[in-house]
Amino acid sequence: MAACASILCGTSADPLPQPEAPPAVTRSRFAALDDVRLLATGLLQLGQSLREFVHKTKGQINDIFQKLQNFDFYFNQLSNMASEIKEEEEELKKTTVVLKANNDELKNQSLEISSKVDYILQERQQLLSAVGGLEQRVRSLSLDMVSSQQLEEITALRELSHTQEQSIVDLLRAVKEQSEQLNYQRIKINILEEKLTTNTLVQENVETMTDISVSETPTLTPFLSTNDSQTNVSLPSDCSDLFDRGERVSGVYAIRPEGHPAFMAYCDMTQDGGSTVIQRRKDGSVNFDQTWERYENGFGEFQGEFWLGLEKIYSLASNGDRLLHIQLEDWKQGTRSIEYSFSLEGPNSSYTIHLAQASGDLPDAMINHTGMMFSTKDRDNDNHQDSNCALDYTGGWWFNACGDTNLNGRYTHLRPKGRSERRRGIQWRPSRRTAYSLHHTQMSIGPASARHPAVSTTPASTELNFI
């Protein structure tokens, strides 16, 4: 039989080779080094973020504490003011009661004097009638001898009439004095009543201010009345005085220039000092084409656009040597400023301005405006004989004839196409370039001893659009 397979024939043979099993993979108990580094980097970044967040939170908490301290300080000041006003109000009430009692007594005396005058007038009329009768008797007896008794009677009647007339004159003089005293008492009562009403309003304003949050916007309403000089409230003379007292936060404060009534003003606080803002333009929310009365008293809102008022500006300018700081910004956020030695005459001179350039990185565009009176559309004080500059160019300003500088002109968001419309905008033109309306303006007053540094956020090689 043919050869057979070894397994069938019962013979042994070498086994077939089997594939080797792969070696077992040993898994490490530790994470890979890259994973550890990635995890460590993430933890470091998280720690850094947490540290920055903690610092930022601390700064915010410190800011909140500072604002709360400021609020508590002014709240205490307002509370003390309210207490003083209440005490003065009680004294005024007592004085008013006494004056009213005196007034009633004077009225009674006046009535008595009037009744006496009427009685004396009646007696005088009777005497005049008697004298008239005697004169008729004298005429009838003119041809006869007048007896000595009749002469004595006539003389006595004449002396009595003269005495009565003198008494009447004295009584009339006394009545006049009583009337003048009554008028004086009435005026004094009216003044006290007005003062009592004013103090009540101030107290209500103080109580209202204690309930107003810090973010609410005050307006240009005066803080105190014209009689506030009689109170004992020690207010700063201006924002620089407020800075000297330690205030460093910009905002609205009550000030009282020396010799003038108190009012509210916006204080711009920097690291160099404080200045009182008298004008701001930034978004066109307020119409600056106003009358003389509005420019004299002020208009707008402190947190937006406003004009402080010529009366208040004059009171600030009268408080020693002053600097007028003007800051301008174009529509590309280019900002520059200029400062002038500054003085302002009073209302009798229509608030004539006097300027001399002191410092800054803006060219002088007010050189032709110094010595000019203030003009509005209803009061033309410019040097142009044929037109009213304020009416033609809009806004009140110290126009010459008419000049191309007017920071109170019409606010325009887009550049007008017409030349006349462009010249009605907010202008600062020291040269004869095309008119360019500004985006932001601010005018402020500070002491000559604390000058602002020249502000410029524009590279030296770049020229502002409005210069």
Side-chain angles (χ1 to χ4, degrees), residues 346-365:
N348 294 334
S349 300
S350 298
Y351 303 100
T352 300
I353 194 170
H354 299 280
L355 300 168
Q357 184 178 1
S359 64
D361 55 358
L362 267 175
D364 185 8

Side-chain angles (χ1 to χ4, degrees), residues 67 209 212-221 249-254 264-269 277-286 288 299-308 440-442:
K67 289 183 178 179
M209 289 178 67
I212 294 177
S213 63
V214 179
S215 62
E216 291 191 43
T217 303
T219 60
L220 292 179
T221 305
V249 180
S250 298
V252 181
Y253 299 91
M264 301 297 288
Y266 188 93
C267 294
D268 185 14
M269 299 298 187
V277 181
I278 65 173
Q279 185 255 32
R280 185 192 296 129
R281 310 290 301 277
K282 68 176 187 176
D283 55 11
S285 58
V286 174
F288 271 62
F299 55 87
E301 292 189 356
F302 285 116
Q303 299 301 335
E305 295 188 336
F306 69 92
W307 173 261
L308 184 61
H440 185 283
T441 71
Q442 179 170 299

Side-chain angles (χ1 to χ4, degrees), residues 46-60:
L46 179 60
Q48 184 66 24
S49 300
L50 288 174
R51 185 181 295 107
E52 292 176 355
F53 177 76
V54 168
H55 286 303
K56 183 178 180 181
T57 304
K58 285 183 178 179
Q60 292 175 349

Side-chain angles (χ1 to χ4, degrees), residues 78-281:
L78 293 173
S79 299
N80 295 333
M81 188 189 304
S83 300
E84 293 176 358
I85 291 174
K86 285 182 179 179
E87 294 176 359
E88 186 175 359
E89 181 181 351
E90 294 297 330
E91 294 179 359
L92 288 174
K93 287 181 179 179
K94 294 178 182 178
T95 307
T96 303
V97 171
V98 174
L99 289 174
K100 285 184 177 179
N102 293 337
N103 189 22
D104 294 337
E105 184 178 356
L106 289 173
K107 286 182 179 178
N108 295 331
Q109 293 179 358
S110 178
L111 292 175
E112 292 179 1
I113 292 173
S114 299
S115 61
K116 290 181 180 180
V117 169
D118 293 336
Y119 177 74
I120 292 172
L121 289 175
Q122 291 177 359
E123 288 188 347
R124 180 174 179 273
Q125 188 64 34
Q126 293 176 358
L127 288 172
L128 289 175
S129 300
V131 169
L134 288 174
E135 287 178 349
Q136 290 180 358
R137 290 176 60 186
V138 168
R139 291 191 189 95
S140 62
L141 296 174
S142 58
L143 299 177
D144 300 332
M145 292 290 296
V146 179
S147 63
S148 58
Q149 182 178 0
Q150 290 177 335
L151 289 174
E152 291 178 357
E153 185 177 358
I154 292 172
T155 303
L157 286 173
R158 286 178 177 174
E159 291 178 354
L160 181 60
S161 177
H162 179 73
T163 303
Q164 292 292 340
E165 287 182 358
Q166 188 63 37
S167 299
I168 291 172
V169 171
D170 294 338
L171 283 172
L172 290 175
R173 186 183 299 109
V175 169
K176 184 178 180 181
E177 292 176 354
Q178 291 288 345
S179 178
E180 291 176 353
Q181 189 173 2
L182 281 173
N183 290 332
Y184 173 75
Q185 294 287 351
R186 191 178 298 109
I187 293 172
K188 194 170 183 180
I189 290 172
N190 291 335
I191 293 174
L192 288 172
E193 289 177 348
E194 290 177 359
K195 186 176 180 182
L196 184 61
T197 303
T198 301
N199 287 338
T200 303
L201 291 175
V202 172
Q203 181 180 349
E204 292 176 355
N205 290 335
V206 170
E207 293 174 353
T208 303
M209 289 178 67
T210 59
D211 297 330
I212 294 177
S213 63
V214 179
S215 62
E216 291 191 43
T217 303
T219 60
L220 292 179
T221 305
F223 182 67
L224 298 173
S225 67
T226 55
N227 293 327
D228 61 333
S229 58
Q230 300 177 3
T231 65
N232 295 322
V233 183
S234 177
L235 295 176
S237 60
D238 59 7
C239 295
S240 63
D241 187 10
L242 189 66
F243 181 90
D244 294 338
R245 298 186 185 189
E247 185 59 57
R248 295 297 183 269
V249 180
S250 298
V252 181
Y253 299 91
I255 63 175
R256 182 192 289 119
E258 185 177 357
H260 296 273
F263 55 88
M264 301 297 288
Y266 188 93
C267 294
D268 185 14
M269 299 298 187
T270 66
Q271 61 181 1
D272 300 313
S275 59
T276 309
V277 181
I278 65 173
Q279 185 255 32
R280 185 192 296 129
R281 310 290 301 277

